[in-house]
Amino acid sequence: MSAEADKLKTDILAAIAAAEDAAALEAVRVGALGKKGTVSALLKTLGGMSAEERQTNGPLFNALRDAVSEAIAEKKTTIDAAALNARLAEETLDMTLPVATDPQFEGRIHPVSQVMEEIAAIFADMGFDVAEGPDIESGFYNFTALNIPEAHPARQMHDTFYLNAEEDGEALLLRTHTSPVQVRTMQNGQADNSGPPFRFIAPGRTYRCDSDQTHTPMFHQVEGLVVDETTHMGHLKYTLEAFLAAFFEVSDISIRFRPSYFPFTEPSMEIDMPCRRDGDRLIVGEGDDWMEIGGSGMVNPHVLRHACIDADKYQGFAFGMGIDRLAMLKYGAPDLRAFFEADLRWLKHYGFLPIDVPGLAGGLSNKSLAGKPGTGQ
Ligand code: PHE
């Protein structure tokens, strides 16, 4: 009998030693000590033995069971420790890896888009709508309706990009200013009965055949138009001053009107804003120098008539400003051409985070990139 027990012991201990993981060890345990296990079966044979036989075999079989249990427990400790070590080795953090950046801090809003949003927020606060028109215009809207008839010298002054002539002989063009949106929006207002009165801005792309440090063939303007029965030049001056103070985030700005000429306004004025130089820095809104930032005037009655508005009843003001120039002045970008080069390094420096939407209540631009997690600044 003891030979059988010895053989069983050798086999089971070999199986325990060979078990590579917890599952294999458990299978060995069930096979030996489980209800139908080999050791359990051997122990059961004690019941059928004589008292004498039991006396010799009992302690032998029990010793076998204890030895097997002990070997299993020992092996289990080894397997568990190995599994833990493997997990620890696998889960170590590589502290030398760069931290993954949050995508919301990766992209940038172009300063021109940012400034357009700021302008829209300020004028929306004053009750202005935002109107749009096509970049490809007809000579009628870009010139004729604005009181610039054919052969008028102002047409040459605009350095217009013309498209190839259509079959009817008319050549479409890339709009040279946002003023055609004045006429289009007034006509639409007449058609759907939404005006007059009108109060809107029209920001967008404009094109002129011109390129140097302060001119690019494509640039951006914002048009403004107010037409009502008693609109006058005082309203225009107040509107521009309120806009500029809000835009440059200063308490107030006094502008200067300089007499000028535009066929679509009468009288016409250039808008000058005070500024001064402080070393290399240009400070706007104060000082003894002046800087031109746009054109303006009272809407010429001819323009109102082209839009089928009763010019004896209605009058208004219009202005046009360069958006890129405003962006350069506010955010200190020296070369206009860089605005359109799509250089990622430039965009990272001058761009804005997409989650910071400009608004008058939350601040137009005070949410700078500085200190934002993941921006590396
Ligand atoms: N359209 C003019 C320009 O581009 C600017 C302007 C707009 C002047 C509205 C007066 C009124 O030069």
Side-chain angles (χ1 to χ4, degrees):
M1 226 35 215
S2 81
E4 194 184 335
D6 278 348
K7 163 105 178 50
L8 203 53
K9 186 173 171 185
T10 319
D11 288 353
I12 294 173
L13 291 185
I16 290 172
E20 274 180 5
D21 54 26
L25 184 65
E26 176 63 6
V28 176
R29 190 192 67 79
V30 172
L33 303 177
K35 260 191 200 153
K36 290 179 185 155
T38 45
V39 176
S40 308
L42 194 65
L43 280 165
K44 270 183 209 150
T45 60
L46 287 173
M49 289 182 187
S50 68
E52 236 167 70
E53 280 176 321
R54 205 178 299 139
Q55 219 157 36
T56 31
N57 286 321
L60 261 176
F61 291 0
N62 280 328
L64 166 65
R65 187 195 53 207
D66 291 348
V68 168
S69 306
E70 208 173 290
I72 289 177
E74 221 167 81
K75 179 77 182 188
K76 185 154 179 10
T77 317
T78 322
I79 287 180
D80 285 353
L84 182 63
N85 282 339
R87 229 182 102 190
L88 285 176
E90 199 174 291
E91 290 181 3
T92 40
L93 283 179
D94 184 350
M95 304 300 270
T96 62
L97 281 177
V99 179
T101 46
D102 186 332
Q104 74 175 336
F105 295 115
E106 275 297 286
R108 290 289 185 278
I109 300 293
H110 195 283
V112 169
S113 306
Q114 163 81 12
V115 164
M116 280 193 181
E117 289 291 327
E118 293 181 19
I119 293 171
I122 297 166
F123 279 106
D125 195 54
M126 294 196 268
F128 284 66
D129 289 334
V130 174
E132 278 182 317
D135 288 18
I136 298 175
E137 261 300 3
S138 64
F140 175 77
Y141 285 110
N142 198 77
F143 293 124
T144 314
L146 291 166
N147 200 33
I148 314 176
E150 247 166 273
H152 192 290
R155 285 209 185 197
Q156 270 71 59
M157 280 161 48
H158 277 225
D159 302 314
T160 315
F161 286 113
Y162 283 95
L163 278 67
N164 290 336
E166 302 280 297
E167 266 171 23
D168 61 9
E170 210 216 309
L172 292 173
L173 49 87
L174 297 179
R175 67 179 178 190
T176 56
H177 51 178
T178 42
S179 299
V181 189
Q182 287 185 23
V183 182
R184 284 183 176 276
T185 310
M186 284 195 281
Q187 284 182 344
N188 291 342
Q190 294 276 58
D192 66 13
N193 258 330
S194 61
F198 293 104
R199 201 190 304 169
F200 60 85
I201 57 163
R205 291 180 170 176
T206 45
Y207 307 81
R208 284 182 207 179
C209 191
D210 207 351
S211 187
D212 59 33
Q213 198 183 341
T214 51
H215 295 92
T216 48
M218 189 278 292
F219 57 105
H220 299 83
Q221 282 192 340
V222 57
E223 193 80 8
L225 184 84
V226 172
V227 168
D228 205 340
E229 291 181 31
T230 56
T231 305
H232 57 69
M233 241 164 90
H235 296 144
L236 169 61
K237 191 154 189 269
Y238 170 81
T239 304
L240 290 170
E241 289 184 338
F243 161 71
L244 290 170
F247 179 75
F248 287 106
E249 299 176 60
V250 295
S251 55
D252 64 293
I253 285 187
S254 294
I255 57 164
R256 175 177 82 172
F257 278 147
R258 196 158 30 85
S260 185
Y261 172 74
F262 301 104
F264 33 94
T265 46
E266 183 59 38
S268 301
M269 300 84 67
E270 226 68 70
I271 310 161
D272 288 350
M273 187 175 62
C275 66
R276 69 183 166 85
R277 295 205 174 266
D278 179 12
D280 273 352
R281 253 159 47 95
L282 177 71
I283 303 189
V284 292
E286 55 178 69
D288 295 331
D289 282 342
W290 296 97
M291 170 183 311
E292 184 193 317
I293 51 145
S296 65
M298 299 305 293
V299 180
N300 192 311
H302 290 310
V303 177
L304 295 175
R305 284 187 204 109
H306 274 298
C308 305
I309 308 255
D310 181 353
D312 295 322
K313 187 171 172 199
Y314 290 101
Q315 59 186 33
F317 67 73
F319 59 84
M321 288 182 284
I323 290 178
D324 316 289
R325 165 69 81 89
L326 288 172
M328 287 169 85
L329 288 174
K330 183 164 178 178
Y331 295 114
D335 191 332
L336 179 63
R337 289 168 297 196
F339 274 64
F340 310 115
E341 274 169 2
D343 184 330
L344 270 180
R345 293 162 302 177
W346 187 91
L347 262 176
K348 280 228 146 102
H349 182 77
Y350 287 105
F352 292 80
L353 291 176
I355 48 169
D356 290 340
V357 179
L360 286 181
L364 284 176
S365 65
N366 56 5
K367 298 164 190 160
S368 73
L369 292 176
K372 284 276 159 67
T375 58
Q377 315 213 3

